[in-house]
Amino acid sequence: MVLAAGMGQRMRPLTNDRPKPLVPVLGRPLLEHVLQRLVEDGITTAVINVHYLAEQIERYVEDISRPKIIISDERSMLLDTGGGTARALPLLGDGPFAVVNSDSAWIEGAKPALQRLREHWRDEEMDCLMLLASTVTSIGYDGAGDFTMDPSGRLVRRAQGEVAPFAFAGVYIVHPRLFRDAPDGAFSMNVLWDRAIEAGRLFGLRHDGVWLHVGTPQGLILAEQALQKV
């Protein structure tokens, strides 16, 4: 699942005339970088949700043969990260699947991040396994972090007013069972992640490369500078 339906408001003015997934990084759209990661991991089908300037993304993927693209249309109502994924569940199968934000960008470590997530997935223990980035080494990130992680990989949210060592890197594996009794309509994945935390079934994996936080025009510049050095 590739989440590509957002309004891209923090990336304005670059998103005034195009959706954020089509903003170029080193001359190639963010979405192209993500799809390349999926192909490299052997993923053969990608469901992409669309809302803002949806026709531009549809035109862009028309000639892409790898991976096979299926569009999940949210033109009538933006469903947020949770609602959008819930709507697409019939297209994603009965087993665990990867979810990637269309603006997720990273430099690989010793082993590809998606491969590491698959290898660390434990179906009997997990409902969701997130890729986490160190707040200290990430590029373009200046937040207070999102999670703390115990030695087994279980996650707890950062407490109000505190600083956490890990930020969510926009990539995760999730099992469809996490969506049982999910809200109708638009909702954030945070709703389901909180449920998984309460059940002790939200886990994290530290990225062993470098995460590039491409959230603003300045973050885009920093990401390009980092990628040029690779």
Side-chain angles (χ1 to χ4, degrees), residues 122 124-130 132 147-157 165-166 196-206:
R122 301 188 299 276
E124 70 283 357
E125 292 183 64
M126 301 175 173
D127 286 336
C128 185
L129 175 63
M130 290 182 173
L132 299 180
F147 297 99
T148 59
M149 181 166 55
D150 74 12
S152 72
R154 282 188 174 87
L155 299 183
V156 176
R157 284 197 184 275
F166 298 110
I197 288 172
E198 290 179 9
R201 297 184 63 86
L202 182 69
F203 284 75
L205 177 67
R206 179 174 181 162

Side-chain angles (χ1 to χ4, degrees), residues 71-107:
I71 295 293
S72 181
D73 196 331
E74 295 181 23
R75 281 179 176 87
S76 61
M77 180 183 180
L78 184 59
L79 294 172
D80 207 338
T81 52
T85 306
R87 170 178 283 190
L89 284 177
L91 306 171
L92 292 163
D94 298 327
F97 57 92
V99 180
V100 185
N101 291 348
S102 59
D103 60 354
S104 294
W106 66 88
I107 297 169

Side-chain angles (χ1 to χ4, degrees), residues 31-223:
L31 181 58
E32 182 177 331
H33 289 271
V34 169
L35 294 177
Q36 180 181 340
R37 297 288 196 202
L38 302 186
V39 170
E40 291 170 351
D41 190 60
I43 292 173
T44 58
T45 303
V47 177
I48 302 177
N49 67 338
V50 294
H51 174 79
Y52 175 62
L53 300 176
E55 66 284 350
Q56 292 189 28
I57 294 177
E58 289 177 324
R59 285 199 302 269
Y60 179 77
V61 302
E62 276 180 358
D63 298 325
I64 293 177
S65 58
R66 299 179 60 226
K68 176 185 176 182
I69 304 295
I70 301 173
I71 295 293
S72 181
D73 196 331
E74 295 181 23
R75 281 179 176 87
S76 61
M77 180 183 180
L78 184 59
L79 294 172
D80 207 338
T81 52
T85 306
R87 170 178 283 190
L89 284 177
L91 306 171
L92 292 163
D94 298 327
F97 57 92
V99 180
V100 185
N101 291 348
S102 59
D103 60 354
S104 294
W106 66 88
I107 297 169
E108 299 285 20
K111 187 181 289 186
L114 286 167
Q115 179 182 343
R116 292 183 64 232
L117 283 170
R118 285 189 288 102
E119 291 175 351
H120 282 79
W121 176 261
R122 301 188 299 276
D123 199 75
E124 70 283 357
E125 292 183 64
M126 301 175 173
D127 286 336
C128 185
L129 175 63
M130 290 182 173
L131 185 68
L132 299 180
S134 166
T135 57
V136 176
T137 60
S138 298
I139 293 175
Y141 181 79
D142 59 1
D146 299 311
F147 297 99
T148 59
M149 181 166 55
D150 74 12
S152 72
R154 282 188 174 87
L155 299 183
V156 176
R157 284 197 184 275
R158 173 182 64 85
Q160 187 73 24
E162 294 185 357
V163 174
F166 298 110
F168 170 52
V171 185
Y172 56 97
I173 292 176
V174 63
H175 196 285
R177 61 176 165 254
L178 186 58
F179 292 84
R180 291 173 188 158
D181 301 318
D184 294 328
F187 68 93
S188 169
M189 274 302 298
N190 284 301
V191 174
L192 303 186
W193 290 335
D194 285 342
R195 290 184 184 178
I197 288 172
E198 290 179 9
R201 297 184 63 86
L202 182 69
F203 284 75
L205 177 67
R206 179 174 181 162
H207 181 41
D208 65 350
V210 179
W211 179 48
L212 310 174
H213 185 234
V214 188
T216 64
Q218 179 60 27
L220 181 64
I221 292 171
L222 294 174

Side-chain angles (χ1 to χ4, degrees), residues 3-16:
L3 299 175
M7 301 295 290
Q9 293 177 337
R10 290 185 302 138
M11 192 62 86
R12 297 192 188 280
L14 299 180
T15 52
N16 286 344

